[in-house]
Amino acid sequence: MKISRHLLAPVVALVAAASLTACGGGSGGAAATPAAGAGGVDTSAPLYASLPQAIKDKGSIQVGSDIAYAPMEYYDTDGTTVIGFDKEIGDLLGAKLGVPVVFNNSTFDGLITQLQSGRFDAAISSMSDTKARQKEVDFVDYYLSGSIMFVKAGNPNGLTSVDDLCGKTISLQRGTTQEEYVTSELSPKCEQAGKGKVTVMAFDRESEAMLQIEQGRAVAGIQEYPVAVYNTQQSKGKFEVVGQQVIAGPLGVAVPKDDTQLRDAVQKALQAAIADGSYQKLIDKYQTPQSAVKEATINAG
């Protein structure tokens, strides 16, 4: 599983430079952006009554997020509008709960501390639900994210799974969970099976690693599943995703452990979105079918 979204996680290489510059993900500043389409409080919403009184009084759910991780949460080309899967999940939850879910930009590593201090009501930032984090916050799990292989368009080597990488050369970003998985798990398994180790070409930037595949020096790469899908889409037909996710685990909406009422309301809202098909429509929009959850679980990581 991922240890954290940013620690040993891939950098999205193909997002427009202007968008990344504008996001200021490491600034720690809080740039609030109201949820799209949420005009205000709707007391007739199906789950409004389940909200804590403090949220009703405030009239919104203030969410912390490091808005620098396409396609999950990032800024549109105007540098201020938050877009991405996580943002749209927030909008789905807000529609069920009857209050806007407002995204505030902050540093990823500080999100749990800011939840505990009361600065934010929740965090939606592609955060892995892990046992270690469960000691500090609760999670409502909404997405399964692991790593997946991608290859040059047309799949010239006929690869179907990561097991086909035995004895071959691949290209990865240095310091990622994917590099750790290949070197400590996949390659040793290949050698034990007598199929030859996986040779890893590692680079500081994902764009450099992808270039090796495009030019035929490496047969494949491995990236975070939603990132790989996004990058192949942005490549204008140069790459394609193949096979199934590996080392997959849940991402969750993080909520302070002492706010079980908000946690349970969020769980009910997510379950309602799953039941009425709006969640699946979002999964389909982002073309990540392997990431869909069948039910809204709590602390399943």
Side-chain angles (χ1 to χ4, degrees), residues 46-111:
L47 292 171
Y48 179 79
S50 67
L51 287 169
Q53 189 59 48
I55 296 295
K56 294 177 182 177
D57 293 343
K58 189 188 310 183
S60 66
I61 297 174
Q62 296 294 320
V63 164
S65 186
D66 186 352
I67 308 170
Y69 194 60
M72 301 303 284
E73 56 271 317
Y74 61 112
Y75 284 105
D76 204 347
T77 52
D78 62 6
T80 59
T81 302
V82 184
I83 58 177
F85 185 93
D86 282 352
K87 174 61 169 61
E88 294 195 54
I89 276 287
D91 292 346
L92 280 184
L93 298 176
K96 302 296 184 186
L97 295 168
V99 293
V101 173
V102 180
F103 274 63
N104 300 272
N105 192 31
S106 190
T107 56
F108 186 83
D109 291 345
L111 287 175

Coordinates of all heavy atoms in Angstrom, one line a residue, residues 46-111:
P46 N -31.5 15.1 1.7 CA -31.9 13.9 2.4 C -31.1 13.6 3.7 O -31.7 12.9 4.6 CB -31.6 12.8 1.3 CG -30.7 13.4 0.3 CD -31.1 14.9 0.3
L47 N -29.9 14.1 3.8 CA -29.1 13.8 5.0 C -28.7 15.0 5.8 O -27.8 14.9 6.6 CB -27.8 13.0 4.5 CG -28.1 11.6 4.0 CD1 -26.8 11.0 3.4 CD2 -28.6 10.7 5.1
Y48 N -29.4 16.1 5.5 CA -29.1 17.3 6.3 C -29.2 17.1 7.8 O -28.4 17.6 8.6 CB -29.9 18.5 5.8 CG -29.7 19.8 6.6 CD1 -28.6 20.6 6.3 CD2 -30.5 20.2 7.6 CE1 -28.3 21.7 7.0 CE2 -30.3 21.3 8.3 CZ -29.2 22.1 8.0 OH -28.9 23.3 8.7
A49 N -30.3 16.4 8.2 CA -30.5 16.2 9.6 C -29.5 15.4 10.3 O -29.3 15.5 11.5 CB -31.9 15.5 9.8
S50 N -28.7 14.6 9.6 CA -27.6 13.8 10.2 C -26.4 14.6 10.5 O -25.5 14.1 11.2 CB -27.3 12.7 9.3 OG -26.6 13.1 8.1
L51 N -26.3 15.8 10.1 CA -25.1 16.6 10.3 C -25.0 17.1 11.7 O -26.0 17.4 12.4 CB -25.1 17.9 9.4 CG -24.8 17.6 7.9 CD1 -25.1 18.9 7.1 CD2 -23.3 17.2 7.7
P52 N -23.7 17.3 12.3 CA -23.6 17.9 13.6 C -24.1 19.3 13.6 O -24.1 20.0 12.6 CB -22.0 17.8 13.8 CG -21.5 16.8 12.8 CD -22.5 16.8 11.6
Q53 N -24.6 19.8 14.7 CA -25.1 21.1 14.8 C -24.1 22.1 14.5 O -24.4 23.2 13.9 CB -25.6 21.4 16.2 CG -26.4 22.7 16.4 CD -27.6 22.7 15.4 OE1 -28.4 21.7 15.4 NE2 -27.8 23.8 14.7
A54 N -22.8 21.9 14.8 CA -21.7 22.8 14.5 C -21.6 23.1 13.0 O -21.4 24.2 12.5 CB -20.4 22.4 15.0
I55 N -21.8 22.0 12.2 CA -21.7 22.1 10.7 C -23.0 22.9 10.2 O -22.9 23.8 9.3 CB -21.6 20.8 10.1 CG1 -20.3 20.1 10.5 CG2 -21.7 20.9 8.5 CD1 -19.1 20.7 10.0
K56 N -24.1 22.6 10.8 CA -25.3 23.3 10.4 C -25.2 24.8 10.7 O -25.6 25.7 9.9 CB -26.5 22.8 11.1 CG -26.9 21.3 10.8 CD -28.1 20.8 11.6 CE -28.4 19.4 11.3 NZ -29.5 18.9 12.1
D57 N -24.6 25.1 11.8 CA -24.5 26.5 12.2 C -23.5 27.2 11.3 O -23.7 28.4 10.9 CB -24.0 26.6 13.7 CG -25.0 26.2 14.7 OD1 -26.2 26.1 14.3 OD2 -24.6 25.9 15.8
K58 N -22.4 26.5 10.9 CA -21.4 27.1 10.0 C -21.9 27.2 8.6 O -21.6 28.1 7.8 CB -20.2 26.2 10.1 CG -19.0 26.8 9.3 CD -17.8 25.8 9.3 CE -17.5 25.1 10.6 NZ -16.3 24.2 10.5
G59 N -22.8 26.3 8.2 CA -23.3 26.3 6.8 C -22.4 25.7 5.8 O -22.7 25.9 4.6
S60 N -21.4 25.0 6.2 CA -20.5 24.4 5.2 C -19.6 23.3 5.9 O -19.5 23.3 7.1 CB -19.6 25.4 4.6 OG -18.7 26.0 5.5
I61 N -19.0 22.5 5.1 CA -18.0 21.6 5.6 C -16.6 22.1 5.0 O -16.5 22.1 3.8 CB -18.2 20.1 5.2 CG1 -19.5 19.6 5.8 CG2 -17.1 19.2 5.6 CD1 -19.9 18.2 5.3
Q62 N -15.8 22.5 5.9 CA -14.5 23.0 5.5 C -13.5 21.9 5.4 O -13.2 21.2 6.3 CB -14.0 24.1 6.4 CG -14.8 25.3 6.5 CD -14.8 26.1 5.2 OE1 -13.8 26.3 4.6 NE2 -16.0 26.6 4.8
V63 N -13.0 21.7 4.1 CA -12.1 20.5 3.9 C -10.7 21.0 3.6 O -10.5 22.0 2.8 CB -12.7 19.8 2.6 CG1 -11.6 18.8 2.1 CG2 -13.9 19.0 3.0
G64 N -9.7 20.4 4.2 CA -8.3 20.6 3.9 C -7.8 19.7 2.8 O -8.2 18.5 2.7
S65 N -7.0 20.2 1.8 CA -6.5 19.5 0.7 C -5.3 20.1 0.2 O -5.2 21.3 0.1 CB -7.6 19.4 -0.4 OG -7.3 18.5 -1.4
D66 N -4.3 19.2 -0.2 CA -3.1 19.7 -0.9 C -3.5 19.7 -2.4 O -3.4 18.6 -3.1 CB -1.9 18.8 -0.6 CG -0.7 19.4 -1.2 OD1 -0.7 20.4 -2.0 OD2 0.4 18.8 -0.9
I67 N -3.9 20.8 -3.0 CA -4.5 20.9 -4.3 C -3.4 20.9 -5.4 O -3.2 22.0 -6.0 CB -5.5 22.1 -4.4 CG1 -6.4 22.0 -3.2 CG2 -6.3 22.0 -5.7 CD1 -7.3 23.2 -3.0
A68 N -2.7 19.8 -5.5 CA -1.6 19.8 -6.4 C -1.3 18.4 -7.0 O -0.2 18.0 -7.2 CB -0.3 20.3 -5.7
Y69 N -2.4 17.6 -7.2 CA -2.2 16.2 -7.5 C -3.3 15.8 -8.5 O -4.2 15.1 -8.3 CB -2.4 15.4 -6.2 CG -1.9 14.0 -6.3 CD1 -0.6 13.6 -6.6 CD2 -2.8 12.9 -6.1 CE1 -0.2 12.3 -6.7 CE2 -2.4 11.6 -6.1 CZ -1.1 11.3 -6.4 OH -0.7 10.0 -6.5
A70 N -3.1 16.2 -9.8 CA -4.0 15.8 -10.9 C -3.9 14.3 -11.1 O -2.8 13.7 -11.0 CB -3.6 16.5 -12.1
P71 N -5.0 13.6 -11.4 CA -6.3 14.2 -11.6 C -7.2 14.2 -10.4 O -8.4 14.4 -10.5 CB -6.9 13.2 -12.6 CG -6.4 11.9 -12.2 CD -5.0 12.1 -11.7
M72 N -6.6 14.0 -9.2 CA -7.5 13.9 -8.0 C -7.9 15.3 -7.5 O -9.1 15.5 -7.2 CB -6.7 13.1 -6.9 CG -6.3 11.7 -7.4 SD -7.7 10.7 -7.9 CE -8.5 10.3 -6.4
E73 N -7.0 16.2 -7.3 CA -7.3 17.5 -6.9 C -6.3 18.5 -7.4 O -5.1 18.3 -7.1 CB -7.5 17.7 -5.4 CG -6.3 17.3 -4.5 CD -6.4 15.8 -4.1 OE1 -7.4 15.3 -3.8 OE2 -5.3 15.2 -4.2
Y74 N -6.7 19.4 -8.2 CA -5.7 20.4 -8.8 C -6.5 21.6 -9.2 O -7.7 21.6 -9.3 CB -4.9 19.8 -9.9 CG -5.7 19.3 -11.1 CD1 -5.5 19.9 -12.3 CD2 -6.5 18.2 -11.0 CE1 -6.2 19.4 -13.5 CE2 -7.2 17.7 -12.2 CZ -7.0 18.3 -13.4 OH -7.7 17.9 -14.5
Y75 N -5.7 22.6 -9.6 CA -6.3 23.9 -10.1 C -6.5 23.9 -11.6 O -5.6 23.4 -12.3 CB -5.5 25.1 -9.6 CG -5.6 25.4 -8.2 CD1 -4.6 25.1 -7.3 CD2 -6.7 26.1 -7.7 CE1 -4.7 25.5 -5.9 CE2 -6.9 26.4 -6.4 CZ -5.9 26.1 -5.5 OH -6.0 26.4 -4.2
D76 N -7.6 24.4 -12.0 CA -7.9 24.6 -13.4 C -6.9 25.7 -13.9 O -6.1 26.3 -13.2 CB -9.3 25.1 -13.6 CG -9.8 24.7 -15.0 OD1 -9.0 24.4 -15.9 OD2 -11.1 24.8 -15.2
T77 N -6.9 26.0 -15.2 CA -6.0 26.9 -15.8 C -6.1 28.3 -15.3 O -5.2 29.1 -15.5 CB -6.1 26.9 -17.4 OG1 -7.5 27.1 -17.7 CG2 -5.7 25.5 -17.9
D78 N -7.2 28.6 -14.7 CA -7.3 30.0 -14.1 C -6.6 30.1 -12.8 O -6.4 31.2 -12.3 CB -8.8 30.4 -13.9 CG -9.5 29.5 -12.9 OD1 -8.9 28.6 -12.3 OD2 -10.8 29.6 -12.8
G79 N -6.1 29.0 -12.3 CA -5.2 29.1 -11.1 C -6.0 29.2 -9.8 O -5.5 29.3 -8.7
T80 N -7.4 29.2 -9.9 CA -8.2 29.4 -8.6 C -9.3 28.4 -8.5 O -9.7 28.0 -7.4 CB -8.8 30.8 -8.6 OG1 -9.7 31.0 -9.8 CG2 -7.8 31.9 -8.5
T81 N -9.8 27.8 -9.6 CA -10.9 26.9 -9.6 C -10.4 25.5 -9.3 O -9.5 25.0 -10.0 CB -11.7 26.9 -10.9 OG1 -12.1 28.2 -11.1 CG2 -12.9 25.9 -10.8
V82 N -10.9 24.9 -8.2 CA -10.4 23.5 -7.9 C -11.2 22.5 -8.7 O -12.4 22.6 -8.8 CB -10.6 23.2 -6.4 CG1 -10.1 21.9 -6.0 CG2 -10.0 24.3 -5.5
I83 N -10.5 21.6 -9.3 CA -11.1 20.5 -10.1 C -10.5 19.2 -9.7 O -9.5 19.1 -9.0 CB -11.0 20.8 -11.6 CG1 -9.5 20.9 -12.0 CG2 -11.8 22.0 -12.0 CD1 -9.3 21.1 -13.5
G84 N -11.1 18.1 -10.3 CA -10.5 16.8 -10.0 C -11.5 15.8 -9.4 O -12.6 16.2 -8.9
F85 N -11.1 14.6 -9.3 CA -12.0 13.6 -8.7 C -12.4 13.9 -7.3 O -13.6 13.8 -6.9 CB -11.3 12.2 -8.8 CG -12.2 11.0 -8.4 CD1 -13.0 10.4 -9.3 CD2 -12.3 10.7 -7.0 CE1 -13.8 9.3 -8.9 CE2 -13.1 9.6 -6.6 CZ -13.9 8.9 -7.6
D86 N -11.4 14.2 -6.5 CA -11.7 14.4 -5.1 C -12.7 15.6 -4.9 O -13.5 15.6 -4.0 CB -10.4 14.7 -4.3 CG -9.7 13.4 -3.9 OD1 -10.3 12.3 -4.2 OD2 -8.6 13.4 -3.4
K87 N -12.5 16.7 -5.7 CA -13.4 17.8 -5.7 C -14.8 17.4 -6.0 O -15.8 17.8 -5.3 CB -12.9 18.9 -6.6 CG -13.8 20.1 -6.8 CD -14.0 20.8 -5.4 CE -14.7 22.1 -5.6 NZ -16.0 22.0 -6.2
E88 N -14.9 16.6 -7.0 CA -16.3 16.1 -7.4 C -16.9 15.2 -6.4 O -18.1 15.2 -6.2 CB -16.2 15.5 -8.8 CG -15.8 16.6 -9.9 CD -16.1 16.1 -11.3 OE1 -17.3 15.7 -11.6 OE2 -15.2 16.2 -12.1
I89 N -16.1 14.4 -5.7 CA -16.6 13.6 -4.6 C -17.1 14.5 -3.5 O -18.2 14.3 -2.9 CB -15.5 12.7 -4.0 CG1 -15.4 11.4 -4.9 CG2 -15.7 12.3 -2.6 CD1 -16.5 10.4 -4.7
G90 N -16.4 15.6 -3.2 CA -16.9 16.5 -2.2 C -18.2 17.1 -2.6 O -19.1 17.3 -1.8
D91 N -18.4 17.4 -3.9 CA -19.6 18.0 -4.4 C -20.8 17.0 -4.3 O -21.9 17.4 -3.9 CB -19.5 18.4 -5.9 CG -18.6 19.6 -6.0 OD1 -18.2 20.3 -5.0 OD2 -18.2 19.9 -7.2
L92 N -20.5 15.7 -4.5 CA -21.5 14.7 -4.4 C -21.9 14.6 -2.9 O -23.1 14.5 -2.6 CB -21.0 13.3 -4.8 CG -20.9 13.0 -6.3 CD1 -20.4 11.5 -6.5 CD2 -22.3 13.1 -6.9
L93 N -21.0 14.6 -2.0 CA -21.3 14.5 -0.6 C -22.1 15.7 -0.1 O -23.1 15.6 0.6 CB -20.0 14.4 0.2 CG -19.1 13.2 0.0 CD1 -17.8 13.2 0.8 CD2 -19.9 11.9 0.3
G94 N -21.7 16.9 -0.6 CA -22.4 18.1 -0.2 C -23.8 18.1 -0.7 O -24.7 18.6 0.0
A95 N -24.1 17.6 -1.9 CA -25.4 17.5 -2.4 C -26.3 16.6 -1.5 O -27.5 17.0 -1.3 CB -25.4 17.0 -3.8
K96 N -25.8 15.5 -1.0 CA -26.5 14.7 -0.2 C -26.7 15.2 1.2 O -27.8 15.1 1.9 CB -25.8 13.3 0.0 CG -25.6 12.6 -1.3 CD -26.9 12.2 -2.0 CE -26.6 11.4 -3.3 NZ -27.8 11.1 -4.1
L97 N -25.7 16.0 1.7 CA -25.8 16.5 3.1 C -26.4 17.9 3.2 O -26.8 18.3 4.3 CB -24.3 16.6 3.6 CG -23.7 15.2 3.8 CD1 -22.2 15.4 4.1 CD2 -24.3 14.4 4.9
G98 N -26.5 18.6 2.0 CA -27.2 19.9 2.0 C -26.4 21.1 2.4 O -26.9 22.1 2.7
V99 N -25.0 20.9 2.4 CA -24.1 22.0 2.7 C -23.0 22.0 1.7 O -22.5 20.9 1.3 CB -23.6 22.0 4.2 CG1 -24.7 22.2 5.2 CG2 -22.9 20.7 4.4
P100 N -22.5 23.2 1.3 CA -21.3 23.2 0.4 C -20.1 22.5 1.1 O -19.9 22.7 2.3 CB -21.0 24.7 0.2 CG -22.3 25.3 0.6 CD -22.9 24.5 1.6
V101 N -19.3 21.8 0.4 CA -18.0 21.2 0.8 C -17.0 22.1 0.2 O -16.8 22.2 -1.0 CB -17.9 19.8 0.4 CG1 -16.4 19.3 0.7 CG2 -18.9 18.9 1.0
V102 N -16.3 22.9 1.0 CA -15.4 23.9 0.6 C -13.9 23.5 0.7 O -13.5 23.1 1.8 CB -15.6 25.2 1.4 CG1 -14.6 26.3 0.9 CG2 -17.0 25.7 1.3
F103 N -13.2 23.5 -0.4 CA -11.8 23.0 -0.4 C -10.9 24.2 0.0 O -11.0 25.3 -0.6 CB -11.5 22.5 -1.7 CG -11.8 21.0 -1.9 CD1 -13.2 20.6 -1.9 CD2 -10.8 20.1 -2.1 CE1 -13.5 19.3 -2.0 CE2 -11.2 18.7 -2.2 CZ -12.5 18.3 -2.2
N104 N -10.0 23.9 0.9 CA -8.9 24.9 1.3 C -7.6 24.3 1.1 O -7.3 23.2 1.5 CB -9.1 25.1 2.8 CG -10.4 25.7 3.2 OD1 -10.7 26.9 3.1 ND2 -11.4 24.8 3.5
N105 N -6.7 25.0 0.4 CA -5.4 24.5 0.0 C -4.5 24.5 1.3 O -4.4 25.5 2.0 CB -4.8 25.4 -1.1 CG -3.6 24.8 -1.7 OD1 -3.4 23.6 -1.8 ND2 -2.6 25.6 -2.1
S106 N -3.8 23.4 1.4 CA -2.9 23.3 2.6 C -1.8 22.3 2.2 O -1.9 21.6 1.2 CB -3.6 22.9 3.8 OG -2.8 23.1 5.0
T107 N -0.8 22.2 3.1 CA 0.3 21.2 2.8 C -0.2 19.8 3.3 O -0.9 19.7 4.3 CB 1.5 21.5 3.6 OG1 1.2 21.7 5.0 CG2 2.1 22.8 3.1
F108 N 0.1 18.8 2.5 CA -0.4 17.4 2.8 C 0.0 16.9 4.2 O -0.8 16.4 4.9 CB 0.1 16.5 1.7 CG -0.5 15.1 1.8 CD1 -1.7 14.8 1.3 CD2 0.3 14.1 2.4 CE1 -2.3 13.5 1.4 CE2 -0.3 12.8 2.6 CZ -1.5 12.5 2.1
D109 N 1.3 17.1 4.5 CA 1.8 16.6 5.7 C 1.2 17.2 7.0 O 1.3 16.7 8.1 CB 3.4 16.8 5.8 CG 4.1 15.9 4.8 OD1 3.5 15.0 4.3 OD2 5.3 16.2 4.5
G110 N 0.6 18.4 6.8 CA 0.0 19.1 8.0 C -1.5 18.8 8.1 O -2.1 19.4 9.0
L111 N -2.1 18.1 7.2 CA -3.6 18.0 7.2 C -4.1 17.3 8.5 O -5.1 17.8 9.0 CB -4.0 17.2 6.0 CG -3.9 17.9 4.6 CD1 -4.3 17.0 3.5 CD2 -4.8 19.2 4.6

